Amino acid sequence: QVQLVESGGGLVQAGDSLRLSCAASGLPFSAYAMGWFRQAPGKEREFVAAISGSGTSTSYAESVKGRFTTSIDNAKNTAYLQMNSLKPEDTAVYYCAARDGLGLRVGRNQYAYWGQGTQVTVSS
C-alpha cells in the first residue's frame, strides 16, 4: 500500500525558508509523478508544484514561481519542496501527492495518493 509521510513544516517569519519532505513507501518511486498542494483556512486545496517521474520536468503555480523548487531523490524515495522568500500568504497546510504515471499533472483529482499534510505558518 502506498503511503506518503510529510515533514518540515513550522512557524517562520516572512522572508525565511523551509524545506518540506515527502517520504514515499509502497510504490516504485521513479515511476510516479509527485505533486504539492496547499490549503489555507476557508479556501480550496490548490496546486503549488509538480515534478515528473523522471525528475526532468517541473511545473509551478504562478504565485510561487521563482521562490519554490521541487525535486526528488530516488535513492531516498523522497520528494522535496524548497520554499524560499516565504510570504504570509503562503500560510497553509501543505500536502504532497503521487500519481501512478510519469507525466506531471496540476489537478487535485489527477493524484491518487496523498500525505497527511504539514502546517506552514508565515508571520509578517
mmCIF file of all heavy atoms in Angstrom, residues 28-65:
data_model
loop_
_atom_site.group_PDB
_atom_site.id
_atom_site.type_symbol
_atom_site.label_atom_id
_atom_site.label_comp_id
_atom_site.label_asym_id
_atom_site.label_seq_id
_atom_site.Cartn_x
_atom_site.Cartn_y
_atom_site.Cartn_z
ATOM 1 N N PRO A 28 6.834 2.194 -6.661
ATOM 2 C CA PRO A 28 8.098 2.364 -7.400
ATOM 3 C C PRO A 28 8.295 3.849 -7.645
ATOM 4 O O PRO A 28 7.811 4.408 -8.626
ATOM 5 C CB PRO A 28 7.867 1.576 -8.687
ATOM 6 C CG PRO A 28 6.377 1.628 -8.884
ATOM 7 C CD PRO A 28 5.783 1.615 -7.508
ATOM 8 N N PHE A 29 9.012 4.489 -6.761
ATOM 9 C CA PHE A 29 9.084 5.935 -6.712
ATOM 10 C C PHE A 29 9.440 6.572 -8.045
ATOM 11 O O PHE A 29 8.855 7.590 -8.427
ATOM 12 C CB PHE A 29 10.085 6.361 -5.638
ATOM 13 C CG PHE A 29 10.072 7.831 -5.352
ATOM 14 C CD1 PHE A 29 9.023 8.409 -4.658
ATOM 15 C CD2 PHE A 29 11.118 8.635 -5.780
ATOM 16 C CE1 PHE A 29 9.016 9.762 -4.392
ATOM 17 C CE2 PHE A 29 11.119 9.991 -5.513
ATOM 18 C CZ PHE A 29 10.070 10.556 -4.827
ATOM 19 N N SER A 30 10.365 5.992 -8.756
ATOM 20 C CA SER A 30 10.813 6.587 -10.008
ATOM 21 C C SER A 30 9.755 6.550 -11.098
ATOM 22 O O SER A 30 9.897 7.232 -12.114
ATOM 23 C CB SER A 30 12.091 5.888 -10.497
ATOM 24 O OG SER A 30 11.853 4.521 -10.767
ATOM 25 N N ALA A 31 8.699 5.778 -10.906
ATOM 26 C CA ALA A 31 7.635 5.670 -11.896
ATOM 27 C C ALA A 31 6.424 6.528 -11.550
ATOM 28 O O ALA A 31 5.416 6.484 -12.258
ATOM 29 C CB ALA A 31 7.210 4.214 -12.059
ATOM 30 N N TYR A 32 6.508 7.298 -10.476
ATOM 31 C CA TYR A 32 5.398 8.126 -10.020
ATOM 32 C C TYR A 32 5.749 9.598 -10.117
ATOM 33 O O TYR A 32 6.817 10.024 -9.674
ATOM 34 C CB TYR A 32 5.040 7.797 -8.570
ATOM 35 C CG TYR A 32 4.225 6.542 -8.396
ATOM 36 C CD1 TYR A 32 4.758 5.296 -8.684
ATOM 37 C CD2 TYR A 32 2.915 6.618 -7.933
ATOM 38 C CE1 TYR A 32 4.011 4.144 -8.537
ATOM 39 C CE2 TYR A 32 2.157 5.469 -7.769
ATOM 40 C CZ TYR A 32 2.708 4.236 -8.070
ATOM 41 O OH TYR A 32 1.958 3.097 -7.893
ATOM 42 N N ALA A 33 4.829 10.354 -10.673
ATOM 43 C CA ALA A 33 4.956 11.801 -10.633
ATOM 44 C C ALA A 33 4.485 12.299 -9.275
ATOM 45 O O ALA A 33 3.583 11.721 -8.668
ATOM 46 C CB ALA A 33 4.139 12.447 -11.746
ATOM 47 N N MET A 34 5.092 13.368 -8.783
ATOM 48 C CA MET A 34 4.776 13.913 -7.467
ATOM 49 C C MET A 34 4.254 15.332 -7.596
ATOM 50 O O MET A 34 4.720 16.104 -8.429
ATOM 51 C CB MET A 34 6.013 13.908 -6.576
ATOM 52 C CG MET A 34 6.655 12.538 -6.388
ATOM 53 S SD MET A 34 5.570 11.373 -5.513
ATOM 54 C CE MET A 34 5.427 12.183 -3.915
ATOM 55 N N GLY A 35 3.293 15.649 -6.742
ATOM 56 C CA GLY A 35 2.734 16.986 -6.732
ATOM 57 C C GLY A 35 2.679 17.548 -5.334
ATOM 58 O O GLY A 35 2.698 16.811 -4.343
ATOM 59 N N TRP A 36 2.628 18.863 -5.258
ATOM 60 C CA TRP A 36 2.476 19.574 -3.995
ATOM 61 C C TRP A 36 1.257 20.485 -4.088
ATOM 62 O O TRP A 36 1.094 21.216 -5.073
ATOM 63 C CB TRP A 36 3.706 20.408 -3.658
ATOM 64 C CG TRP A 36 4.924 19.591 -3.359
ATOM 65 C CD1 TRP A 36 5.883 19.187 -4.237
ATOM 66 C CD2 TRP A 36 5.309 19.075 -2.080
ATOM 67 N NE1 TRP A 36 6.851 18.457 -3.589
ATOM 68 C CE2 TRP A 36 6.514 18.369 -2.265
ATOM 69 C CE3 TRP A 36 4.748 19.148 -0.804
ATOM 70 C CZ2 TRP A 36 7.177 17.735 -1.212
ATOM 71 C CZ3 TRP A 36 5.401 18.512 0.234
ATOM 72 C CH2 TRP A 36 6.599 17.825 0.024
ATOM 73 N N PHE A 37 0.426 20.444 -3.064
ATOM 74 C CA PHE A 37 -0.763 21.275 -2.977
ATOM 75 C C PHE A 37 -0.811 21.926 -1.604
ATOM 76 O O PHE A 37 -0.147 21.480 -0.668
ATOM 77 C CB PHE A 37 -2.023 20.440 -3.214
ATOM 78 C CG PHE A 37 -2.106 19.843 -4.591
ATOM 79 C CD1 PHE A 37 -1.383 18.703 -4.920
ATOM 80 C CD2 PHE A 37 -2.894 20.422 -5.566
ATOM 81 C CE1 PHE A 37 -1.442 18.147 -6.183
ATOM 82 C CE2 PHE A 37 -2.971 19.877 -6.843
ATOM 83 C CZ PHE A 37 -2.239 18.742 -7.147
ATOM 84 N N ARG A 38 -1.599 22.975 -1.482
ATOM 85 C CA ARG A 38 -1.760 23.613 -0.183
ATOM 86 C C ARG A 38 -3.197 24.061 -0.005
ATOM 87 O O ARG A 38 -3.910 24.312 -0.970
ATOM 88 C CB ARG A 38 -0.807 24.798 -0.016
ATOM 89 C CG ARG A 38 -1.087 25.974 -0.945
ATOM 90 C CD ARG A 38 0.006 27.016 -0.818
ATOM 91 N NE ARG A 38 -0.241 28.179 -1.653
ATOM 92 C CZ ARG A 38 0.624 29.175 -1.819
ATOM 93 N NH1 ARG A 38 1.805 29.144 -1.199
ATOM 94 N NH2 ARG A 38 0.313 30.206 -2.597
ATOM 95 N N GLN A 39 -3.602 24.165 1.249
ATOM 96 C CA GLN A 39 -4.953 24.573 1.567
ATOM 97 C C GLN A 39 -4.925 25.532 2.754
ATOM 98 O O GLN A 39 -4.514 25.158 3.851
ATOM 99 C CB GLN A 39 -5.832 23.368 1.887
ATOM 100 C CG GLN A 39 -7.294 23.709 2.060
ATOM 101 C CD GLN A 39 -8.180 22.477 2.045
ATOM 102 O OE1 GLN A 39 -7.711 21.362 2.240
ATOM 103 N NE2 GLN A 39 -9.458 22.668 1.804
ATOM 104 N N ALA A 40 -5.357 26.749 2.512
ATOM 105 C CA ALA A 40 -5.461 27.760 3.548
ATOM 106 C C ALA A 40 -6.859 27.722 4.152
ATOM 107 O O ALA A 40 -7.803 27.238 3.517
ATOM 108 C CB ALA A 40 -5.165 29.142 2.974
ATOM 109 N N PRO A 41 -7.025 28.236 5.375
ATOM 110 C CA PRO A 41 -8.346 28.234 6.005
ATOM 111 C C PRO A 41 -9.397 28.903 5.131
ATOM 112 O O PRO A 41 -9.184 30.003 4.626
ATOM 113 C CB PRO A 41 -8.119 29.017 7.297
ATOM 114 C CG PRO A 41 -6.681 28.800 7.613
ATOM 115 C CD PRO A 41 -5.993 28.784 6.265
ATOM 116 N N GLY A 42 -10.516 28.226 4.937
ATOM 117 C CA GLY A 42 -11.604 28.776 4.158
ATOM 118 C C GLY A 42 -11.422 28.709 2.659
ATOM 119 O O GLY A 42 -12.273 29.214 1.917
ATOM 120 N N LYS A 43 -10.340 28.102 2.201
ATOM 121 C CA LYS A 43 -10.084 28.012 0.768
ATOM 122 C C LYS A 43 -9.948 26.558 0.327
ATOM 123 O O LYS A 43 -9.721 25.669 1.133
ATOM 124 C CB LYS A 43 -8.814 28.776 0.401
ATOM 125 C CG LYS A 43 -8.905 30.280 0.590
ATOM 126 C CD LYS A 43 -7.692 30.978 0.017
ATOM 127 C CE LYS A 43 -7.826 32.480 0.097
ATOM 128 N NZ LYS A 43 -6.656 33.169 -0.508
ATOM 129 N N GLU A 44 -10.098 26.355 -0.970
ATOM 130 C CA GLU A 44 -9.928 25.028 -1.536
ATOM 131 C C GLU A 44 -8.452 24.693 -1.667
ATOM 132 O O GLU A 44 -7.590 25.572 -1.716
ATOM 133 C CB GLU A 44 -10.608 24.936 -2.901
ATOM 134 C CG GLU A 44 -12.114 25.078 -2.866
ATOM 135 C CD GLU A 44 -12.740 24.870 -4.223
ATOM 136 O OE1 GLU A 44 -12.005 24.753 -5.221
ATOM 137 O OE2 GLU A 44 -13.979 24.809 -4.288
ATOM 138 N N ARG A 45 -8.182 23.412 -1.729
ATOM 139 C CA ARG A 45 -6.818 22.964 -1.939
ATOM 140 C C ARG A 45 -6.361 23.371 -3.339
ATOM 141 O O ARG A 45 -7.055 23.126 -4.325
ATOM 142 C CB ARG A 45 -6.744 21.450 -1.766
ATOM 143 C CG ARG A 45 -5.349 20.894 -1.609
ATOM 144 C CD ARG A 45 -5.400 19.428 -1.175
ATOM 145 N NE ARG A 45 -6.121 19.257 0.077
ATOM 146 C CZ ARG A 45 -6.273 18.095 0.687
ATOM 147 N NH1 ARG A 45 -5.754 16.990 0.164
ATOM 148 N NH2 ARG A 45 -6.953 18.025 1.818
ATOM 149 N N GLU A 46 -5.189 23.988 -3.424
ATOM 150 C CA GLU A 46 -4.709 24.492 -4.695
ATOM 151 C C GLU A 46 -3.344 23.928 -5.055
ATOM 152 O O GLU A 46 -2.537 23.581 -4.193
ATOM 153 C CB GLU A 46 -4.642 26.025 -4.679
ATOM 154 C CG GLU A 46 -3.620 26.590 -3.714
ATOM 155 C CD GLU A 46 -3.524 28.107 -3.780
ATOM 156 O OE1 GLU A 46 -4.231 28.720 -4.602
ATOM 157 O OE2 GLU A 46 -2.742 28.683 -2.998
ATOM 158 N N PHE A 47 -3.093 23.885 -6.334
ATOM 159 C CA PHE A 47 -1.838 23.384 -6.858
ATOM 160 C C PHE A 47 -0.695 24.314 -6.512
ATOM 161 O O PHE A 47 -0.833 25.537 -6.576
ATOM 162 C CB PHE A 47 -1.949 23.230 -8.374
ATOM 163 C CG PHE A 47 -0.641 22.965 -9.054
ATOM 164 C CD1 PHE A 47 -0.057 21.705 -9.003
ATOM 165 C CD2 PHE A 47 0.014 23.967 -9.741
ATOM 166 C CE1 PHE A 47 1.151 21.453 -9.628
ATOM 167 C CE2 PHE A 47 1.221 23.728 -10.375
ATOM 168 C CZ PHE A 47 1.784 22.471 -10.316
ATOM 169 N N VAL A 48 0.446 23.739 -6.158
ATOM 170 C CA VAL A 48 1.647 24.504 -5.859
ATOM 171 C C VAL A 48 2.777 24.152 -6.819
ATOM 172 O O VAL A 48 3.367 25.026 -7.451
ATOM 173 C CB VAL A 48 2.121 24.276 -4.412
ATOM 174 C CG1 VAL A 48 3.440 25.003 -4.154
ATOM 175 C CG2 VAL A 48 1.055 24.744 -3.428
ATOM 176 N N ALA A 49 3.096 22.867 -6.924
ATOM 177 C CA ALA A 49 4.218 22.436 -7.747
ATOM 178 C C ALA A 49 4.066 20.967 -8.082
ATOM 179 O O ALA A 49 3.361 20.223 -7.399
ATOM 180 C CB ALA A 49 5.546 22.680 -7.025
ATOM 181 N N ALA A 50 4.733 20.534 -9.137
ATOM 182 C CA ALA A 50 4.726 19.129 -9.520
ATOM 183 C C ALA A 50 6.022 18.797 -10.230
ATOM 184 O O ALA A 50 6.679 19.672 -10.803
ATOM 185 C CB ALA A 50 3.532 18.815 -10.422
ATOM 186 N N ILE A 51 6.374 17.523 -10.197
ATOM 187 C CA ILE A 51 7.576 17.054 -10.858
ATOM 188 C C ILE A 51 7.290 15.700 -11.482
ATOM 189 O O ILE A 51 6.601 14.864 -10.906
ATOM 190 C CB ILE A 51 8.767 16.991 -9.867
ATOM 191 C CG1 ILE A 51 10.062 16.621 -10.589
ATOM 192 C CG2 ILE A 51 8.474 16.021 -8.722
ATOM 193 C CD1 ILE A 51 11.305 16.847 -9.734
ATOM 194 N N SER A 52 7.801 15.480 -12.680
ATOM 195 C CA SER A 52 7.569 14.244 -13.395
ATOM 196 C C SER A 52 8.301 13.091 -12.728
ATOM 197 O O SER A 52 9.222 13.279 -11.931
ATOM 198 C CB SER A 52 8.011 14.380 -14.847
ATOM 199 O OG SER A 52 9.412 14.599 -14.923
ATOM 200 N N GLY A 53 7.880 11.863 -13.072
ATOM 201 C CA GLY A 53 8.514 10.689 -12.502
ATOM 202 C C GLY A 53 9.993 10.609 -12.808
ATOM 203 O O GLY A 53 10.774 10.098 -12.002
ATOM 204 N N SER A 54 10.386 11.127 -13.946
ATOM 205 C CA SER A 54 11.793 11.128 -14.329
ATOM 206 C C SER A 54 12.594 12.199 -13.600
ATOM 207 O O SER A 54 13.820 12.155 -13.589
ATOM 208 C CB SER A 54 11.926 11.329 -15.832
ATOM 209 O OG SER A 54 11.470 12.611 -16.214
ATOM 210 N N GLY A 55 11.898 13.170 -13.022
ATOM 211 C CA GLY A 55 12.559 14.272 -12.353
ATOM 212 C C GLY A 55 13.077 15.338 -13.284
ATOM 213 O O GLY A 55 13.755 16.275 -12.835
ATOM 214 N N THR A 56 12.760 15.232 -14.558
ATOM 215 C CA THR A 56 13.300 16.154 -15.540
ATOM 216 C C THR A 56 12.374 17.309 -15.876
ATOM 217 O O THR A 56 12.816 18.284 -16.498
ATOM 218 C CB THR A 56 13.654 15.420 -16.837
ATOM 219 O OG1 THR A 56 12.481 14.795 -17.374
ATOM 220 C CG2 THR A 56 14.707 14.353 -16.570
ATOM 221 N N SER A 57 11.110 17.215 -15.492
ATOM 222 C CA SER A 57 10.150 18.275 -15.784
ATOM 223 C C SER A 57 9.470 18.730 -14.509
ATOM 224 O O SER A 57 9.125 17.911 -13.654
ATOM 225 C CB SER A 57 9.092 17.801 -16.779
ATOM 226 O OG SER A 57 9.678 17.442 -18.016
ATOM 227 N N THR A 58 9.261 20.032 -14.386
ATOM 228 C CA THR A 58 8.582 20.598 -13.224
ATOM 229 C C THR A 58 7.562 21.627 -13.671
ATOM 230 O O THR A 58 7.640 22.172 -14.771
ATOM 231 C CB THR A 58 9.565 21.259 -12.247
ATOM 232 O OG1 THR A 58 10.318 22.268 -12.942
ATOM 233 C CG2 THR A 58 10.525 20.237 -11.661
ATOM 234 N N SER A 59 6.605 21.895 -12.787
ATOM 235 C CA SER A 59 5.603 22.904 -13.038
ATOM 236 C C SER A 59 5.294 23.598 -11.724
ATOM 237 O O SER A 59 5.275 22.955 -10.671
ATOM 238 C CB SER A 59 4.333 22.283 -13.628
ATOM 239 O OG SER A 59 3.373 23.266 -13.927
ATOM 240 N N TYR A 60 5.045 24.906 -11.781
ATOM 241 C CA TYR A 60 4.792 25.681 -10.574
ATOM 242 C C TYR A 60 3.617 26.623 -10.765
ATOM 243 O O TYR A 60 3.397 27.144 -11.864
ATOM 244 C CB TYR A 60 6.016 26.516 -10.193
ATOM 245 C CG TYR A 60 7.245 25.693 -9.905
ATOM 246 C CD1 TYR A 60 8.161 25.411 -10.906
ATOM 247 C CD2 TYR A 60 7.481 25.195 -8.630
ATOM 248 C CE1 TYR A 60 9.283 24.647 -10.647
ATOM 249 C CE2 TYR A 60 8.602 24.432 -8.360
ATOM 250 C CZ TYR A 60 9.507 24.164 -9.371
ATOM 251 O OH TYR A 60 10.620 23.406 -9.104
ATOM 252 N N ALA A 61 2.882 26.841 -9.686
ATOM 253 C CA ALA A 61 1.862 27.871 -9.701
ATOM 254 C C ALA A 61 2.532 29.231 -9.846
ATOM 255 O O ALA A 61 3.646 29.443 -9.360
ATOM 256 C CB ALA A 61 1.040 27.823 -8.410
ATOM 257 N N GLU A 62 1.853 30.153 -10.502
ATOM 258 C CA GLU A 62 2.428 31.472 -10.718
ATOM 259 C C GLU A 62 2.763 32.175 -9.406
ATOM 260 O O GLU A 62 3.733 32.928 -9.340
ATOM 261 C CB GLU A 62 1.477 32.335 -11.541
ATOM 262 C CG GLU A 62 1.355 31.911 -12.994
ATOM 263 C CD GLU A 62 2.664 32.033 -13.750
ATOM 264 O OE1 GLU A 62 3.426 32.995 -13.480
ATOM 265 O OE2 GLU A 62 2.943 31.175 -14.598
ATOM 266 N N SER A 63 1.998 31.902 -8.373
ATOM 267 C CA SER A 63 2.203 32.569 -7.098
ATOM 268 C C SER A 63 3.500 32.165 -6.398
ATOM 269 O O SER A 63 3.971 32.882 -5.512
ATOM 270 C CB SER A 63 1.017 32.307 -6.168
ATOM 271 O OG SER A 63 0.856 30.924 -5.930
ATOM 272 N N VAL A 64 4.073 31.030 -6.783
ATOM 273 C CA VAL A 64 5.285 30.554 -6.129
ATOM 274 C C VAL A 64 6.464 30.445 -7.076
ATOM 275 O O VAL A 64 7.589 30.167 -6.625
ATOM 276 C CB VAL A 64 5.061 29.191 -5.439
ATOM 277 C CG1 VAL A 64 3.868 29.255 -4.496
ATOM 278 C CG2 VAL A 64 4.866 28.087 -6.476
ATOM 279 N N LYS A 65 6.250 30.657 -8.343
ATOM 280 C CA LYS A 65 7.315 30.518 -9.333
ATOM 281 C C LYS A 65 8.475 31.465 -9.003
ATOM 282 O O LYS A 65 8.273 32.641 -8.725
ATOM 283 C CB LYS A 65 6.770 30.804 -10.729
ATOM 284 C CG LYS A 65 7.728 30.457 -11.858
ATOM 285 C CD LYS A 65 7.046 30.607 -13.215
ATOM 286 C CE LYS A 65 5.884 29.653 -13.364
ATOM 287 N NZ LYS A 65 5.251 29.758 -14.712
#
